[in-house]
Amino acid sequence: MSLAHTDREYEQELQRLHDRLADMGSAVCGMFADCVRAFVNGDAALAAQTMRRDRSVDRMEVEIDELCLSILARRQPMGSDLRFVTTALKLVTDLERIADLCVNVCERTQELGGELRLDATSDLANMAGVLQDMVSRSLEAVLSSDVAAGKAVIAQDARVDALLAQVFRQLLNRMAADPTQAGTATRLLSIAKYFERIGDHATNLAEKAIFMVGGEDIRHTSAFRADKGRAIRGVLFLCVHNSARSQMAEGLARSLLPPDTAIWSAGSDPASQVDPRAIEVMREMGLDISGQRPKRITEVPLDQINTVIHLCAEEICVTLPGIERAETWALPDPAASEAQPDAQIAAFRRVRDELHRRIRVLVAETTRPA
């Protein structure tokens, strides 16, 4: 960014914006480094301390937004200055989201406590190392107008995705071998996904830096984006216990999707049986799911699946890497209701009806190949 202007006050405003971006970037980098340290060392106190710093990042975001809007309104910048100011408005969103994801990592770290971190910990540490470099270099790209640094960050994102897939396989195998470790493994999967999302935001920062410097918009030019018209070859409905929501979704999907579609439901910690109330409310629609059973994710032929629907609301839901289309339908678990029996059945009906509506929309959006 060039700061040479004949209007000295205007130049100072742009410099202030640059400096505040640097401050926010430094704060976010510090949060990420500490959240990784807290996770690797199982340090709940450091995790709590790191989480408290999120408020400061939020304040910086608001301050930078206000500064950008003031410059736009009062100075009406053009050319590279306009790109710098408008890009700054977007950069702070990615930085703030990285800070939020650091908080998520710290929350899972506190939940893990002193539990065994399993074999995937080393790969998660490797992911964190790559990400620290990505975040740092993406900020360098922004603050130093370094296009080469930005392109290097974008190239690293594929490595993060590969590490996520490796961690996922390791933890899935561990859950299959020892179901008692499902809780720990699920939290580690969440941390892996948070790390992967931090990589996505670092990539966003790099792409925006490249645009800011030369006006070249490279977003969406290489990464795959699943579109709404993409055919569903196979769909997997995921929740934790695979006893109510996902079982009803599986039954509804079988009645609405073409017969050659692979339709599965599964859970990270499946129950022993399908909830009888789910069977009851599905029978009211003329659908019998009594022959279905709760399943582990390891039982699903993932090579047949290109669409995953996450149904978790309050719980931590497993995220599968490498899936073409993934959606989150955060629906409350009716089986968790502590209301009177009539109210419990009503909760099951509400979830059933919402699933029916959403699956019909999904079918309408989807074009099957000839």
Side-chain angles (χ1 to χ4, degrees), residues 164-201:
L164 174 64
Q166 186 170 321
V167 168
F168 172 78
R169 286 192 298 270
Q170 288 177 341
L171 292 174
L172 204 59
N173 290 336
R174 181 56 66 95
M175 283 191 284
D178 185 359
T180 64
Q181 294 187 0
T184 298
T186 300
R187 287 174 172 82
L188 290 173
L189 279 171
S190 294
I191 289 173
K193 184 59 181 176
Y194 299 148
F195 281 170
E196 188 266 342
R197 289 295 296 134
I198 288 172
D200 288 344
H201 286 292

Side-chain angles (χ1 to χ4, degrees), residues 213-232:
V213 174
E216 180 186 6
D217 190 345
I218 62 170
R219 296 173 299 170
H220 317 305
T221 55
S222 59
F224 173 79
R225 296 289 186 269
D227 57 69
K228 288 187 175 181
R230 183 169 295 276
I232 296 178

Side-chain angles (χ1 to χ4, degrees), residues 1 22 83 157 185-186 207 281 286-287 339 365:
M1 178 194 66
R83 288 200 304 272
D157 191 46
T186 300
E207 290 174 344
V281 299
L287 298 175
E365 290 176 348

Side-chain angles (χ1 to χ4, degrees), residues 63 82 97 104 111 113 157 210 244 246 256 277 293 296 312 314 368:
E63 180 184 341
L82 179 61
R97 284 299 299 132
N104 295 150
E111 291 170 3
D157 191 46
I210 292 170
S246 52
L256 294 169
R277 294 164 293 184
R293 63 178 179 83
R296 295 191 178 280
C312 299
E314 307 88 356
R368 295 289 296 172

Side-chain angles (χ1 to χ4, degrees), residues 25 55 137 154 204 245 255 353:
R55 290 188 178 183
R137 295 181 78 174
I154 294 169
N204 290 346
R245 291 164 295 185
S255 72
D353 293 344

Side-chain angles (χ1 to χ4, degrees), residues 114-127:
E115 292 183 42
L116 179 68
R117 280 170 167 66
L118 310 180
D119 299 337
T121 305
S122 60
D123 285 321
L124 282 169
N126 289 337
M127 281 183 74

Side-chain angles (χ1 to χ4, degrees), residues 30-43 46 109 132:
M31 278 189 69
F32 181 61
D34 284 343
C35 88
V36 171
R37 192 176 300 112
F39 164 66
V40 172
N41 298 326
D43 190 336
L46 179 58
T109 296
Q132 283 181 305

